[in-house]
Coordinates of all heavy atoms in Angstrom, one line a residue:
Chain A
E21 N 19.7 -14.5 -62.4 CA 19.7 -13.8 -63.7 C 18.3 -13.1 -63.9 O 18.3 -12.0 -64.4 CB 19.9 -14.8 -64.8 CG 21.4 -15.3 -64.9 CD 21.5 -16.3 -66.0 OE1 20.7 -16.4 -67.0 OE2 22.5 -17.1 -65.9
L22 N 17.3 -13.8 -63.5 CA 16.0 -13.2 -63.6 C 15.9 -11.9 -62.8 O 15.4 -10.9 -63.2 CB 14.9 -14.2 -63.2 CG 14.4 -15.2 -64.2 CD1 13.5 -16.2 -63.7 CD2 13.7 -14.4 -65.4
D24 N 18.3 -10.1 -61.8 CA 19.2 -9.0 -62.4 C 18.5 -8.4 -63.6 O 18.5 -7.2 -63.8 CB 20.5 -9.7 -62.9 CG 21.4 -10.1 -61.7 OD1 21.2 -9.5 -60.6 OD2 22.2 -11.0 -61.9
A25 N 17.8 -9.3 -64.4 CA 17.1 -8.7 -65.5 C 16.0 -7.8 -65.1 O 15.7 -6.8 -65.8 CB 16.6 -9.9 -66.4
L26 N 15.4 -8.1 -64.0 CA 14.2 -7.3 -63.5 C 14.7 -6.0 -62.7 O 13.9 -5.2 -62.4 CB 13.3 -8.1 -62.7 CG 12.5 -9.2 -63.5 CD1 11.7 -10.0 -62.5 CD2 11.5 -8.5 -64.5
A27 N 16.0 -6.0 -62.5 CA 16.5 -4.9 -61.6 C 16.2 -3.5 -62.2 O 16.0 -2.6 -61.4 CB 18.0 -5.1 -61.3
T28 N 16.2 -3.4 -63.5 CA 16.0 -2.1 -64.1 C 14.6 -1.8 -64.4 O 14.3 -0.8 -65.0 CB 16.9 -2.0 -65.3 OG1 16.5 -3.1 -66.2 CG2 18.4 -2.1 -65.0
G29 N 13.7 -2.7 -64.0 CA 12.3 -2.4 -64.3 C 11.5 -3.6 -64.6 O 12.0 -4.7 -64.7
E30 N 10.3 -3.4 -64.8 CA 9.3 -4.4 -65.2 C 9.7 -5.1 -66.5 O 10.3 -4.5 -67.4 CB 7.9 -3.9 -65.3 CG 7.3 -3.4 -63.9 CD 5.9 -3.0 -64.1 OE1 5.7 -2.1 -65.0 OE2 5.1 -3.4 -63.4
A31 N 9.2 -6.3 -66.6 CA 9.4 -7.0 -67.9 C 8.3 -8.1 -68.0 O 7.9 -8.6 -67.0 CB 10.8 -7.6 -68.0
T32 N 8.0 -8.4 -69.2 CA 7.1 -9.5 -69.4 C 7.8 -10.8 -69.5 O 9.0 -10.8 -69.6 CB 6.3 -9.3 -70.8 OG1 7.3 -9.5 -71.8 CG2 5.6 -8.0 -70.9
V33 N 7.1 -11.9 -69.4 CA 7.7 -13.2 -69.4 C 8.5 -13.4 -70.8 O 9.6 -13.8 -70.8 CB 6.7 -14.3 -69.3 CG1 7.3 -15.7 -69.4 CG2 6.0 -14.2 -67.9
G34 N 7.8 -13.0 -71.8 CA 8.4 -13.1 -73.1 C 9.7 -12.3 -73.3 O 10.7 -12.9 -73.8
E35 N 9.8 -11.2 -72.7 CA 11.0 -10.4 -72.7 C 12.1 -11.1 -72.0 O 13.2 -11.2 -72.4 CB 10.8 -9.0 -72.1 CG 10.0 -8.1 -73.0 CD 9.5 -6.8 -72.3 OE1 9.7 -6.7 -71.1 OE2 8.8 -6.0 -72.9
L36 N 11.7 -11.6 -70.8 CA 12.7 -12.3 -70.0 C 13.2 -13.6 -70.7 O 14.4 -13.9 -70.7 CB 12.1 -12.7 -68.7 CG 11.7 -11.5 -67.8 CD1 10.9 -11.9 -66.6 CD2 13.0 -10.8 -67.3
V37 N 12.3 -14.3 -71.4 CA 12.7 -15.5 -72.2 C 13.7 -15.1 -73.2 O 14.8 -15.7 -73.3 CB 11.5 -16.1 -72.9 CG1 11.9 -17.1 -73.9 CG2 10.5 -16.7 -71.9
E38 N 13.5 -14.0 -73.8 CA 14.4 -13.5 -74.9 C 15.8 -13.1 -74.2 O 16.8 -13.5 -74.7 CB 13.8 -12.4 -75.7 CG 14.3 -12.4 -77.1 CD 13.7 -11.3 -77.9 OE1 12.5 -11.5 -78.3 OE2 14.3 -10.3 -78.1
R39 N 15.7 -12.3 -73.2 CA 16.9 -11.8 -72.6 C 17.8 -12.9 -72.0 O 19.0 -12.9 -72.1 CB 16.6 -10.9 -71.5 CG 16.2 -9.5 -72.0 CD 16.4 -8.5 -70.9 NE 15.3 -7.6 -70.7 CZ 15.1 -6.8 -69.6 NH1 16.1 -6.8 -68.7 NH2 14.1 -6.1 -69.4
L40 N 17.1 -13.9 -71.4 CA 17.9 -14.9 -70.7 C 18.2 -16.1 -71.7 O 19.1 -16.9 -71.4 CB 17.2 -15.5 -69.5 CG 16.8 -14.6 -68.4 CD1 16.8 -15.4 -67.1 CD2 17.8 -13.5 -68.2
G41 N 17.5 -16.1 -72.8 CA 17.7 -17.2 -73.7 C 17.4 -18.6 -73.1 O 18.0 -19.6 -73.5
R42 N 16.4 -18.6 -72.3 CA 15.9 -19.9 -71.7 C 14.5 -20.2 -72.2 O 13.8 -19.3 -72.7 CB 15.9 -19.8 -70.2 CG 17.3 -19.5 -69.6 CD 17.3 -19.9 -68.2 NE 18.6 -19.5 -67.6 CZ 19.5 -20.3 -67.1 NH1 19.3 -21.6 -67.1 NH2 20.6 -19.8 -66.5
D43 N 14.1 -21.4 -72.1 CA 12.8 -21.8 -72.5 C 11.7 -21.1 -71.7 O 11.9 -20.7 -70.5 CB 12.6 -23.3 -72.3 CG 13.4 -24.1 -73.3 OD1 14.1 -23.5 -74.1 OD2 13.5 -25.3 -73.1
Q44 N 10.6 -20.8 -72.3 CA 9.6 -20.1 -71.6 C 9.0 -20.8 -70.4 O 8.9 -20.2 -69.4 CB 8.4 -19.8 -72.6 CG 7.2 -19.2 -72.0 CD 6.2 -20.2 -71.6 OE1 5.9 -21.2 -72.3 NE2 5.6 -20.0 -70.4
V47 N 11.4 -20.3 -67.5 CA 11.3 -18.9 -67.0 C 10.0 -18.8 -66.1 O 10.1 -18.2 -65.0 CB 11.3 -17.9 -68.2 CG1 11.0 -16.5 -67.6 CG2 12.6 -17.9 -68.9
S48 N 9.0 -19.3 -66.6 CA 7.7 -19.2 -65.8 C 7.9 -19.9 -64.5 O 7.4 -19.4 -63.5 CB 6.6 -19.8 -66.6 OG 6.1 -18.9 -67.6
L51 N 10.1 -18.0 -62.2 CA 9.4 -16.8 -61.7 C 8.4 -17.2 -60.7 O 8.2 -16.5 -59.7 CB 8.6 -16.1 -62.9 CG 9.5 -15.3 -63.9 CD1 8.7 -14.9 -65.1 CD2 10.1 -14.1 -63.1
R63 N 1.9 -8.1 -62.3 CA 0.5 -7.5 -62.5 C 0.2 -7.8 -64.0 O 1.1 -8.0 -64.8 CB 0.6 -6.0 -62.3 CG 1.4 -5.3 -63.3 CD 1.6 -3.8 -62.8 NE 2.5 -3.1 -63.7 CZ 2.1 -2.3 -64.7 NH1 0.8 -2.1 -64.9 NH2 2.9 -1.7 -65.5
A65 N -1.1 -6.9 -67.7 CA -1.1 -5.7 -68.6 C -1.6 -6.3 -69.9 O -0.7 -6.8 -70.7 CB 0.2 -5.0 -68.6
R67 N -2.6 -8.7 -72.5 CA -2.3 -10.2 -72.5 C -1.0 -10.5 -71.8 O -0.7 -11.7 -71.6 CB -2.1 -10.6 -73.9 CG -3.3 -10.6 -74.7 CD -3.0 -11.2 -76.0 NE -3.7 -10.5 -77.1 CZ -3.7 -10.9 -78.3 NH1 -3.1 -12.0 -78.6 NH2 -4.3 -10.2 -79.2
H68 N -0.3 -9.5 -71.4 CA 1.0 -9.8 -70.8 C 0.9 -9.8 -69.3 O -0.1 -9.4 -68.7 CB 2.0 -8.8 -71.3 CG 2.3 -8.8 -72.8 ND1 3.4 -9.3 -73.4 CD2 1.5 -8.3 -73.8 CE1 3.3 -9.2 -74.7 NE2 2.1 -8.6 -75.0
R69 N 2.1 -10.2 -68.8 CA 2.2 -10.2 -67.3 C 3.5 -9.5 -67.0 O 4.5 -10.0 -67.5 CB 2.2 -11.6 -66.8 CG 1.6 -11.7 -65.5 CD 1.0 -13.1 -65.3 NE 0.1 -13.1 -64.2 CZ -0.4 -14.2 -63.6 NH1 0.0 -15.3 -64.1 NH2 -1.2 -14.1 -62.6
L70 N 3.4 -8.4 -66.3 CA 4.6 -7.6 -66.0 C 5.1 -8.0 -64.6 O 4.5 -7.9 -63.6 CB 4.3 -6.2 -66.1 CG 4.2 -5.6 -67.5 CD1 3.7 -4.2 -67.5 CD2 5.5 -5.7 -68.2
Y71 N 6.3 -8.6 -64.7 CA 7.0 -8.9 -63.4 C 7.9 -7.8 -63.0 O 8.5 -7.1 -63.8 CB 7.8 -10.2 -63.6 CG 6.9 -11.4 -63.5 CD1 6.2 -11.9 -64.6 CD2 6.8 -12.1 -62.3 CE1 5.4 -13.1 -64.5 CE2 6.0 -13.3 -62.2 CZ 5.3 -13.7 -63.3 OH 4.5 -14.8 -63.2
R72 N 8.1 -7.7 -61.7 CA 9.0 -6.7 -61.1 C 9.6 -7.2 -59.8 O 9.0 -8.1 -59.2 CB 8.3 -5.4 -60.9 CG 7.3 -5.4 -59.9 CD 6.4 -4.2 -59.9 NE 5.2 -4.5 -59.0 CZ 5.2 -4.1 -57.7 NH1 6.2 -3.5 -57.2 NH2 4.1 -4.4 -57.0
Chain B
Y96 N 13.3 2.1 -59.3 CA 12.0 2.0 -58.8 C 11.8 3.2 -57.7 O 12.8 3.6 -57.2 CB 11.7 0.7 -58.0 CG 11.6 -0.5 -58.8 CD1 12.7 -1.0 -59.5 CD2 10.4 -1.2 -58.9 CE1 12.6 -2.2 -60.3 CE2 10.3 -2.4 -59.7 CZ 11.4 -2.8 -60.4 OH 11.4 -4.0 -61.1
Chain D
dA5 P -1.1 -16.0 -83.1 OP1 -0.6 -15.4 -84.3 OP2 -0.9 -17.5 -82.9 O5' -0.6 -15.2 -81.9 C5' -1.0 -13.9 -81.7 C4' -0.9 -13.5 -80.2 O4' -1.9 -14.3 -79.5 C3' 0.5 -13.8 -79.6 O3' 0.9 -12.7 -78.8 C2' 0.2 -15.1 -78.8 C1' -1.2 -14.9 -78.4 N9 -1.9 -16.1 -78.1 C8 -2.0 -17.2 -79.0 N7 -2.7 -18.2 -78.5 C5 -3.2 -17.8 -77.3 C6 -4.0 -18.3 -76.3 N6 -4.5 -19.6 -76.4 N1 -4.2 -17.6 -75.2 C2 -3.7 -16.4 -75.1 N3 -2.9 -15.7 -76.0 C4 -2.7 -16.5 -77.0
dA6 P 2.3 -12.7 -78.1 OP1 2.7 -11.3 -78.1 OP2 3.1 -13.8 -78.8 O5' 1.9 -13.2 -76.7 C5' 1.2 -12.3 -75.8 C4' 1.2 -12.9 -74.4 O4' 0.3 -14.1 -74.5 C3' 2.5 -13.3 -73.8 O3' 2.6 -12.7 -72.6 C2' 2.4 -14.9 -73.7 C1' 0.9 -15.1 -73.7 N9 0.5 -16.3 -74.3 C8 0.8 -16.9 -75.5 N7 0.3 -18.1 -75.7 C5 -0.5 -18.3 -74.6 C6 -1.4 -19.3 -74.3 N6 -1.6 -20.4 -75.1 N1 -2.1 -19.2 -73.1 C2 -1.9 -18.2 -72.3 N3 -1.1 -17.1 -72.5 C4 -0.4 -17.2 -73.7
dT7 P 4.0 -13.0 -71.7 OP1 4.1 -11.8 -70.8 OP2 5.0 -13.4 -72.6 O5' 3.5 -14.2 -70.8 C5' 2.4 -14.0 -69.9 C4' 1.9 -15.3 -69.3 O4' 1.6 -16.2 -70.4 C3' 3.0 -16.0 -68.5 O3' 2.5 -15.9 -67.1 C2' 3.0 -17.4 -69.0 C1' 1.8 -17.5 -69.8 N1 1.8 -18.5 -70.9 C2 1.0 -19.6 -70.9 O2 0.2 -19.8 -70.0 N3 1.1 -20.4 -72.0 C4 2.0 -20.3 -73.0 O4 2.0 -21.1 -74.0 C5 2.8 -19.1 -73.0 C7 3.8 -18.9 -74.1 C6 2.7 -18.3 -72.0
dA8 P 3.3 -16.6 -66.0 OP1 3.0 -15.9 -64.8 OP2 4.7 -16.9 -66.4 O5' 2.5 -18.0 -65.8 C5' 1.1 -18.0 -65.6 C4' 0.6 -19.4 -65.4 O4' 0.7 -20.1 -66.7 C3' 1.3 -20.3 -64.4 O3' 0.4 -20.9 -63.6 C2' 2.1 -21.3 -65.3 C1' 1.3 -21.4 -66.5 N9 2.0 -21.7 -67.8 C8 3.0 -20.9 -68.3 N7 3.5 -21.4 -69.4 C5 2.8 -22.6 -69.6 C6 2.8 -23.5 -70.6 N6 3.7 -23.5 -71.6 N1 2.0 -24.6 -70.5 C2 1.2 -24.6 -69.5 N3 1.0 -23.8 -68.5 C4 1.9 -22.8 -68.6

Side-chain angles (χ1 to χ4, degrees):
Chain A
E21 287 175 23
L22 277 171
D24 290 336
L26 290 173
T28 55
E30 292 181 310
T32 67
V33 178
E35 287 167 358
L36 294 168
V37 166
E38 210 177 284
R39 282 204 231 167
L40 299 208
R42 302 197 185 244
D43 291 355
Q44 176 269 315
V47 170
S48 279
L51 284 172
R63 67 189 176 99
R67 289 189 220 188
H68 298 255
R69 210 149 196 197
L70 285 172
Y71 278 85
R72 67 195 168 92
Chain B
Y96 289 69

